[in-house]
Amino acid sequence: KLRATKENKYNEALDKANLFLDTEATFELIENFHVEATKENLNTFNSAAIAIERGFIPYQEWTSKEDNVLQLDMEQCITISVGIGQIQTDVWTRQFIDYKNRINEASTIEEVNNIRINYT
């Protein structure tokens, strides 16, 4: 039963990490211009930076979470990519690993159940 409880808590940590990154995590480029820190946006801004550099497009137009629109140059696209990458890395290599270690180290069902998963 302890093994099943740990597996459920592990899945909760995994699901909440994905949910946080897909719906809550944002990168702030400038005041009142937040970009959702999703894998899709990371790919979009990486691709946009390359396309701008190669002259395929003059800029990447983007609407922020606050509904502000900017025409982003290559440097801004790179800055956003790096910022989103740092957020993704922090969640998966620090926060998620911390929860996983705490789950693995728990020796009772009560200890596992007392672990509160909250990504910020």
Side-chain angles (χ1 to χ4, degrees):
K1 191 165 178 167
L2 177 60
R3 181 181 292 168
T5 304
K6 285 184 174 189
E7 184 68 25
N8 288 338
K9 187 60 75 169
Y10 172 82
N11 288 333
E12 177 187 347
L14 186 62
D15 291 344
K16 284 187 175 182
N18 283 314
L19 182 65
F20 173 72
L21 290 169
D22 288 343
T23 63
E24 296 179 44
T26 61
F27 172 75
E28 183 178 45
L29 177 64
I30 57 174
E31 188 174 343
N32 292 316
F33 197 89
H34 288 84
V35 177
E36 291 86 351
T38 64
K39 290 178 194 172
E40 293 79 13
N41 285 350
L42 178 62
N43 292 335
T44 296
F45 286 103
N46 283 333
S47 297
I50 292 167
I52 294 167
E53 179 184 40
R54 294 185 179 170
F56 298 136
I57 59 174
Y59 54 83
Q60 174 68 47
E61 188 167 286
W62 196 262
T63 303
S64 72
K65 193 168 184 167
E66 301 83 7
D67 291 327
N68 297 320
V69 179
L70 281 180
Q71 294 176 346
L72 304 166
D73 63 22
M74 184 180 69
E75 286 76 25
Q76 290 169 314
C77 289
I78 291 169
T79 298
I80 292 169
S81 291
V82 169
I84 291 173
Q86 289 171 336
I87 291 166
Q88 291 268 341
T89 298
D90 181 66
V91 166
W92 292 117
T93 65
R94 188 183 63 79
Q95 295 184 64
F96 176 75
I97 295 300
D98 179 57
Y99 287 126
K100 183 178 173 185
N101 289 339
R102 289 173 54 201
I103 293 164
N104 288 336
E105 292 167 4
S107 57
T108 67
I109 291 171
E110 182 180 16
E111 284 179 49
V112 175
N113 288 333
N114 285 335
I115 298 171
R116 298 291 167 236
I117 311 291
N118 182 25
Y119 293 91
T120 56

